[in-house]
Amino acid sequence: MGLPLEAAAEAPRVALAPGLSYVPGYLDGAAQAGLLAEIERALAEGPWYRPCMPRSGRPLSVQMTNCGPLGWVSDERGYRYQARHPTTGRPWPAIPETALRAWAELCAYPHPPEACLVNFYDASAKLGQHQDHDEEDLSAPVISLSLGATCVFRYGGVSRRDPTHKLELHSGDAIVLGGPARLIYHGVDKIRAGSSDLVPGGGRINLTLRRVTCPANGRTFQS
Ligand code: MD6
Ligand code: FE
């Protein structure tokens, strides 16, 4: 049995910087298992694929898929949001309920997320320092949920030259990047192999929830 939702909503939030909050243990064990089951159902519709870097075409070490009306993709043509899976051509599956609940609980933004990027890291995968700036509505935060192996997350400031800090993200942890932290640089330095049995075969899954379009400008996919 998991904690009642009221208790989960009270997981303490740690302000790491203005706009950057960390919610260790946001999902309890039962909620983590439930979210993993939702992701496994989504993967049957929209499987992992390996994105590549714009221009160079170099493959990323992270595998990806998405849920929601829009999904973030990266290929030789660039970075963008699109409504269909790049290899199957099908619409992305629905965003997991557990993730929608996290959005409602952890951010005050008055519209639902449109994209849930799902990253998979094996023991050797990493993600370089980047900003999430492909969304039109930068007033909405990005919310991250982690499952499985612990990672070393590194974040800095809005300039690439700003000093950086390390944060170990464990299964069940949430972070929120909003307000003045919405465009900070961040990435995943390494995965702590063998640190969790949650994901079959090991590895780490990260979900990032995003609002893409501005509700005010008439280009919404979902109000
Ligand atoms: C990850 N996270 O934790 C990668 N982006 O696997 C991200 O790139 C990220 O954690 C925007 C906001 C929060 C994040
Ligand atoms: Fe990111």
Side-chain angles (χ1 to χ4, degrees):
M1 271 295 287
L3 292 172
L5 286 180
E6 298 74 43
E10 286 161 14
R13 299 181 195 192
V14 182
L16 296 176
L20 173 57
S21 32
Y22 170 45
V23 194
Y26 171 70
L27 298 174
D28 65 19
Q32 292 168 42
L35 177 56
L36 181 64
E38 291 185 280
I39 293 166
E40 283 169 346
R41 287 195 288 277
L43 286 168
E45 275 179 71
W48 298 122
Y49 65 94
R50 195 177 290 280
C52 54
M53 294 291 290
R55 293 180 295 278
S56 73
R58 208 163 68 91
L60 300 189
S61 59
V62 178
Q63 296 179 71
M64 294 184 177
T65 190
N66 287 268
C67 298
L70 290 172
W72 185 87
V73 298
S74 173
D75 61 19
E76 286 91 338
R77 286 153 53 208
Y79 305 125
R80 66 192 170 277
Y81 282 93
Q82 65 183 42
R84 288 176 183 271
H85 191 289
T87 56
T88 69
R90 294 174 64 190
W92 305 104
I95 298 178
E97 286 298 326
T98 307
L100 292 174
R101 206 157 61 224
W103 180 269
E105 286 178 356
L106 294 175
C107 84
Y109 187 79
H111 304 278
E114 292 170 308
C116 177
L117 173 63
V118 189
N119 290 342
F120 176 75
Y121 299 78
D122 64 18
S124 62
K126 48 183 87 170
L127 185 65
Q129 291 286 311
H130 66 276
Q131 293 170 297
D132 286 40
H133 59 191
D134 297 323
E135 301 75 27
E136 287 172 18
D137 194 348
L138 296 173
S139 74
V142 178
I143 289 186
S144 141
L145 298 174
S146 293
L147 292 177
T150 300
C151 80
V152 179
F153 183 80
R154 183 186 290 277
Y155 65 92
V158 294
S159 162
R160 217 183 248 288
R161 292 180 303 275
D162 288 334
T164 62
H165 311 272
K166 282 188 202 177
L167 174 68
E168 300 239 341
L169 291 178
H170 301 97
S171 195
D173 291 355
I175 57 175
V176 182
L177 263 66
R182 178 62 181 76
L183 291 176
I184 62 171
Y185 279 88
H186 59 278
V188 173
D189 285 3
K190 77 183 265 120
I191 299 296
R192 299 226 181 273
S195 54
S196 166
D197 291 334
L198 182 77
V199 175
R204 170 175 184 265
I205 294 175
N206 176 262
L207 287 76
T208 44
L209 291 151
R210 298 110 188 280
R211 178 74 196 191
V212 180
T213 65
C214 291
N217 76 6
R219 284 227 314 117
T220 52
F221 282 75
Q222 186 184 311
S223 64

